């Protein structure tokens, strides 16, 4: 029976895995992700979930175990954060190249040194070129819904790629909000498609997989992975639409456009700060400004064409990066710039670095960023990069 639970984002991820009837869970704890696998361990222990749950000695081993289980045809799940994600990196590349439909929430967290357990998006964005589909959730309901959608997308025969779902540390992972949990039968129907896997490891039908490939064939394997990522765009959109028909919950497939099509200045965001950006846009609209928000729900495949379509009339795009690539600035800023390079009519694209290490990005910050966009437009300034809320002692 459908129900509404007041739960945190970590538990929302666990319930998404439960209703997806995952068969294999491999876990290693790391703050602020640990609660996800703890809740799943309880579900397995008390009989709520019929799955094999194994504890391993590291995040590298957690994903390696999932790779083995997925290669044998099981629906697999793990979760991690920050340094744990970095430790998995070798296996992350292997899972994508092996075309294994593993699903993994990543509770985004800053890197050390200095040590931080608070939110930042650098960890998940560093993995954007590995071949995983990458989502970023705005709220706990979207965390839950996207976990389930991720299995339908990953297991689609035209995709067969692993999926990460990013969720902001503590802002989502440890904050409780109402989450609607549909009937198990509804999710069962949603995930009934038969996945035509190219191989399943079976001792009764032995094959060789992932061994040495010479130059005359390696490039074709990479092309097929590239094509699968492009094909994933339509699958993601179709999956979002199908989920909406069943549940009424829609999160905007690749892009969430909030009053963005007629806006002079649009802010581009990912993750949980998007709600404050939307409120800021509403406040400024009431004062006569034409402002909007473009939330990127999907980072890979990057929605370049979709972004150009919704931002075609924008005069200024403000890209808010809760991440840092030293030497170039914000990762998303440069991805957005690349998306508009081929357009004859290009908006001014200005970047802000904000919220590193969990520092708040406030409603007033977003209002100021919108107004800065108008200032750049009116003064004819060259767009660039600014840092929000830096302590004066280091300036």
């Amino acid at each position: 029976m459908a129900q509404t639970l007041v739960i945190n984002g970590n538990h929302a991820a666990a319930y998404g895995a439960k209703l997806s009837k995952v068969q294999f869970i491999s876990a290693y704890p790391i703050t602020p992700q640990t609660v996800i696998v703890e809740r799943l361990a309880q579900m397995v222990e008390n009989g709520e979930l019929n799955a094999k749950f194994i504890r391993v000695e590291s995040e590298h081993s957690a994903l390696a175990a999932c790779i083995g289980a997925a290669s044998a045809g099981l629906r697999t799940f793990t979760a991690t954060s920050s340094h744990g994600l970095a430790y998995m990196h070798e296996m992350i590349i292997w899972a994508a190249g092996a075309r294994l439909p593993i699903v993994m929430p990543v509770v985004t967290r800053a890197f050390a040194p200095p040590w931080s357990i608070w939110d930042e998006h650098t960890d998940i964005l560093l993995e954007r070129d590995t071949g995983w589909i990458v989502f970023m959730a705005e709220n706990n309901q979207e965390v839950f819904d996207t976990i389930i959608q991720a299995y339908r997308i990953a297991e689609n025969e035209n995709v067969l790629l692993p999926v990460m779902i990013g969720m902001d540390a503590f802002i989502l992972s440890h904050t409780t909000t109402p989450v609607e949990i549909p009937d198990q039968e509804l999710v069962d129907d949603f995930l009934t498609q038969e996945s035509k896997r190219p191989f399943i490891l079976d001792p009764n039908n032995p094959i060789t997989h992932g061994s040495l490939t010479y130059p005359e064939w390696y490039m074709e394997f990479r092309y097929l992975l590239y094509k699968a990522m492009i094909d994933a765009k339509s699958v993601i959109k179709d999956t979002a639409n199908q989920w909406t028909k069943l549940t009424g919950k829609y999160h905007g497939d690749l892009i969430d456009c909030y009053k963005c099509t007629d806006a002079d200045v649009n802010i581009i965001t990912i993750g949980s700060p998007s709600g404050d950006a939307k409120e800021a846009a509403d406040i400024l609209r009431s004062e006569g400004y034409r402002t909007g928000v473009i939330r990127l729900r999907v980072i890979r495949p990057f929605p370049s064409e979709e972004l150009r379509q919704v931002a075609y009339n924008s005069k200024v795009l403000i890209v808010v990066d809760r991440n840092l690539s030293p030497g170039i600035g914000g990762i998303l800023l440069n991805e957005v710039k690349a998306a508009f390079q081929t357009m004859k009519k290009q908006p001014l694209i200005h970047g802000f670095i904000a919220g590193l290490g969990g520092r708040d990005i406030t409603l007033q910050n977003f209002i100021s960023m919108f107004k800065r966009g108008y200032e750049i437009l009116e003064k004819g300034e060259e767009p660039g990069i600014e840092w929000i809320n830096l302590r004066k002692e280091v300036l």
Side-chain angles (χ1 to χ4, degrees):
M1 181 176 179
Q3 58 184 324
T4 297
L5 302 178
V6 180
I7 53 177
N8 60 42
N10 280 340
H11 283 179
Y15 274 97
K18 176 195 171 187
L19 266 71
S20 299
K21 291 186 175 176
V22 298
Q23 299 163 296
F24 181 91
I25 303 158
S26 185
Y28 190 81
I30 182 171
T31 300
Q33 168 280 125
T34 306
V35 177
I36 297 176
V37 291
E38 283 182 340
R39 184 69 186 94
L40 283 168
Q42 293 169 347
M43 292 174 175
V44 172
E45 179 68 20
N46 64 24
E48 291 180 62
L49 176 61
N50 181 21
K52 178 70 173 179
F53 186 105
I54 68 166
R55 296 167 295 169
V56 292
E57 71 278 8
S58 72
E59 291 87 356
H60 185 282
S61 297
L63 190 51
C66 284
I67 286 170
S71 298
L74 298 182
R75 182 173 284 169
T76 64
F77 181 92
T78 188
T80 193
S81 296
S82 188
H83 289 273
L85 183 65
Y87 194 19
M88 282 181 175
H89 182 70
E90 179 187 16
M91 293 293 98
I92 285 171
I93 294 171
W94 189 277
R99 308 293 298 277
L100 299 172
I102 300 165
V103 172
M104 176 172 69
V106 175
V107 183
T108 56
R109 171 190 140 182
F111 285 119
W115 277 108
S116 172
I117 58 171
W118 291 278
D119 186 37
E120 189 175 312
H121 298 151
T122 306
D123 57 353
I124 196 168
L125 292 177
L126 286 181
E127 304 297 340
R128 68 193 182 279
D129 297 332
T130 56
W132 285 60
I133 294 170
V134 179
F135 286 88
M136 286 296 298
E138 181 180 358
N139 53 52
N140 293 353
Q141 183 71 57
E142 188 174 3
V143 169
F144 171 81
D145 294 342
T146 307
I147 294 287
I148 297 170
Q149 291 181 38
Y151 281 106
R152 180 170 171 137
I153 295 161
E155 294 170 2
N156 184 286
E157 63 181 305
N158 294 318
V159 179
L160 291 174
L161 292 174
V163 180
M164 294 183 194
I165 300 95
M167 48 190 285
D168 291 350
F170 297 104
I171 302 168
L172 296 189
S173 65
H174 286 66
T175 301
T176 57
T177 61
V179 175
E180 292 186 24
I181 309 293
D183 293 341
Q184 181 67 64
E185 291 76 14
L186 182 149
V187 178
D188 290 345
D189 290 342
F190 183 71
L191 296 178
T192 52
Q193 64 178 7
E194 183 180 353
S195 179
K196 296 181 179 179
R197 303 276 290 276
F199 73 92
I200 297 290
L201 295 183
D202 181 356
N204 296 317
N205 184 28
I207 61 171
T208 299
H209 174 71
S211 58
L212 181 66
T213 300
Y214 287 95
E216 56 262 35
W217 277 109
Y218 182 85
M219 205 165 160
E220 282 68 26
F221 280 99
R222 301 304 289 176
Y223 169 76
L224 291 172
L225 188 151
Y226 165 81
K227 184 177 183 299
M229 187 66 77
I230 299 303
D231 290 344
K233 284 189 173 185
S234 61
V235 177
I236 291 168
K237 293 178 182 181
D238 177 68
T239 300
N241 289 330
Q242 292 301 317
W243 185 250
T244 304
K245 290 178 182 178
L246 291 173
T247 69
K249 293 288 181 295
Y250 183 70
H251 303 287
D253 55 71
L254 301 174
I255 284 179
D256 175 16
C257 173
Y258 185 78
K259 302 182 179 179
C260 71
T261 52
D262 71 334
D264 295 322
V265 178
N266 270 306
I267 278 182
I268 297 177
T269 64
I270 61 174
S272 63
S274 306
D276 286 327
K278 293 172 183 177
E279 185 176 352
D282 286 340
I283 290 171
L284 289 174
R285 286 241 171 196
S286 70
E287 297 176 8
Y289 296 92
R290 290 201 300 182
T291 50
V293 177
I294 301 170
R295 179 175 69 92
L296 304 181
R297 182 176 180 241
V298 180
I299 308 302
R300 284 292 184 274
F302 194 78
S304 298
E305 181 181 350
E306 293 79 6
L307 181 57
R308 289 191 294 267
Q309 289 174 352
V310 299
Y312 183 79
N313 293 316
S314 299
K315 296 175 181 176
V316 180
L317 294 176
I318 299 292
V319 184
V320 182
D321 273 293
R322 196 171 209 154
N323 66 79
L324 177 64
S325 178
I328 197 167
I331 293 169
L332 293 177
L333 173 63
N334 289 282
E335 300 253 313
V336 170
K337 284 182 177 179
F340 284 89
Q341 273 187 338
T342 59
M343 290 186 65
K344 292 181 180 179
K345 176 189 173 185
Q346 294 188 17
L348 298 171
I349 303 175
H350 188 75
F352 283 95
I353 306 290
L356 303 187
R359 188 168 298 183
D360 287 339
I361 310 175
T362 67
L363 174 63
Q364 189 56 51
N365 289 153
F366 282 113
I367 291 173
S368 298
M369 285 187 266
F370 272 124
K371 290 186 175 180
R372 179 71 178 117
Y374 274 96
E375 184 180 38
I376 290 169
L377 181 63
E378 291 164 2
K379 293 184 177 179
E381 293 184 32
E382 190 71 21
I385 300 174
E386 298 180 48
W387 287 62
I388 289 287
N389 291 342
L390 271 184
R391 296 177 66 90
K392 294 180 181 179
E393 295 91 328
V394 303
L395 295 177

